Amino acid sequence: MHEHDEHEHGEPAHTHVHADGTMHSHVHTGSHEHDHHHHHAGDAIDYGAGPAHSHAPGMSQARMVQIERDILGKNNALAADNRRFLAEHGIFAVNLVSSPGAGKTTLLVESIKALQGTLAVAVIEGDQQTSFDADRIRATGVRAVQINTGKGCHLDASQIGHALEHLAPADDSVLFIENVGNLVCPAAFDLGEAHKVVVLSVTEGEDKPLKYPDMFAASSLMLLNKIDLLPHVNFDVKRAIEYARRVRPGIEVLEVAATRGDGMTAWLAWVKRGVEAARERRRDDVARLKRRVAELEAAAATKA
């Protein structure tokens, strides 16, 4: 399969799906006009102070804002299509986000092992290159599609739509999407998921929620991972949770150690509740549709 889409920077992108389920996205870059905007405060230079909250050499803030609106508008429309498809099939989709090395893939592997026999599971893996993570998932017996984003730093709704066509997850199942390891770019891109779940490893430092606030603000749940390493690292759990809730008040937090099993029962219970809620919504939608069909048939019979 060979698809053409608009990349998030306005250049034409191509998505290829190979027989082994690996997907590759390639972007054809062009020239851009640039200028800059930044703010000095003492010894700090803040390039996020303008309306665009970002910086591109030679590009005005107004132009950056317009481009971002155009990109996210297109992505959000495709995400709504994905969300509609998932809802129609009762699929609970979770978008796992983190920095590289936080332990997302190990968490997924252990979660899949625990869920096997109780829930149907499918996985979409996102990385710039290689199929290492998808291979680890497939080794559990679960179907996985690998999306290689090339120079792209995140998954987008178009890529997920293509992957859903290829993967065809079962009704009333759970779909795990492991996003590209990055605490910046994936925050802004809705994929159609029910929830973003941010994984923070205790080896990273408790300040990450304040350094990368958009990601934590966009997430419903924070998994504080690798807590088995706490005796060996300088990490303040209470402060990490405080920082996360400063960015997103009320964010749920679960402390886990995927390799040792700590907290996995609570995490899997959270997943199962999400699956049951998706199933219930699907049942309600089907019942509502049947009632509407019956009403229309009754009205037609009366007129006849």
Side-chain angles (χ1 to χ4, degrees):
M1 183 171 75
H2 184 184
E3 300 287 349
H4 299 266
D5 300 291
E6 280 297 307
H7 182 260
E8 60 266 28
H9 299 298
E11 301 100 359
H14 302 265
T15 301
H16 307 263
V17 182
H18 298 276
D20 65 354
T22 300
M23 303 177 71
H24 298 272
S25 292
H26 304 279
V27 179
H28 301 279
T29 59
S31 61
H32 300 275
E33 295 181 358
H34 301 286
D35 73 50
H36 66 275
H37 180 99
H38 60 264
H39 174 70
H40 293 264
D43 291 332
I45 303 175
D46 186 357
Y47 284 94
H53 305 292
S54 187
H55 164 75
M59 186 177 292
S60 71
Q61 289 285 292
R63 178 60 177 153
M64 289 181 68
V65 168
Q66 185 58 54
I67 290 173
E68 181 178 2
R69 286 175 178 168
D70 291 345
I71 293 166
L72 293 181
K74 292 176 183 177
N75 183 81
N76 289 344
L78 294 171
D81 291 340
N82 293 343
R83 186 167 284 111
R84 190 176 305 110
F85 170 86
L86 294 165
E88 288 172 354
H89 293 272
I91 299 168
F92 179 59
V94 177
N95 181 5
L96 287 166
V97 293
S98 78
S99 60
K104 295 191 304 300
T105 309
T106 298
L107 176 76
L108 275 183
V109 168
E110 297 305 318
S111 298
I112 290 166
K113 290 177 182 177
L115 291 171
Q116 281 177 333
T118 62
L119 282 178
V121 179
V123 178
I124 297 172
E125 283 286 343
D127 278 302
Q128 289 188 318
Q129 298 293 342
T130 80
S131 62
F132 293 155
D133 289 351
D135 291 341
R136 289 178 62 187
I137 299 299
R138 292 176 188 133
T140 69
V142 164
R143 289 198 65 204
V145 167
Q146 177 73 53
I147 299 176
N148 286 340
T149 61
K151 292 185 178 181
C153 57
H154 61 86
L155 295 173
D156 63 37
S158 174
Q159 293 165 342
I160 297 303
H162 295 317
L164 286 171
E165 292 174 6
H166 185 79
L167 191 59
D171 290 353
D172 299 331
S173 63
V174 58
L175 172 67
F176 290 116
I177 303 168
E178 182 178 351
N179 218 312
V180 178
N182 186 332
L183 279 176
V184 182
C185 307
F189 283 80
D190 183 6
L191 306 180
E193 72 273 16
H195 298 282
K196 281 186 177 68
V197 173
V198 60
V199 181
L200 175 63
S201 165
V202 301
T203 59
E204 298 177 69
E206 67 270 6
D207 56 359
K208 290 299 182 291
L210 297 186
K211 284 187 173 182
Y212 304 97
D214 289 354
M215 183 64 77
F216 290 83
S219 299
S220 306
L221 171 68
M222 179 174 77
L223 293 179
L224 197 55
N225 195 24
K226 304 185 184 181
I227 61 168
D228 51 321
L229 299 181
L230 280 172
H232 311 289
V233 296
N234 183 18
F235 185 92
D236 189 325
V237 172
K238 290 184 179 179
R239 184 171 293 176
I241 295 171
E242 176 197 340
Y243 287 164
R245 288 181 172 154
R246 189 183 300 179
V247 172
R248 174 157 181 168
I251 189 172
E252 293 185 69
V253 179
L254 296 175
E255 299 176 29
V256 299
T259 55
R260 199 171 67 180
D262 304 45
M264 291 297 286
T265 299
W267 155 240
L268 296 173
W270 185 92
V271 171
K272 291 175 182 178
R273 287 195 298 272
V275 172
E276 184 53 41
R279 289 174 176 172
E280 186 63 31
R281 284 191 294 271
R282 180 180 182 234
R283 287 193 290 264
D284 290 346
D285 289 344
V286 170
R288 192 178 303 111
L289 181 60
K290 287 181 177 179
R291 288 196 298 270
R292 182 56 180 158
V293 169
E295 290 170 359
L296 292 173
E297 288 177 342
T302 301
K303 290 180 180 178

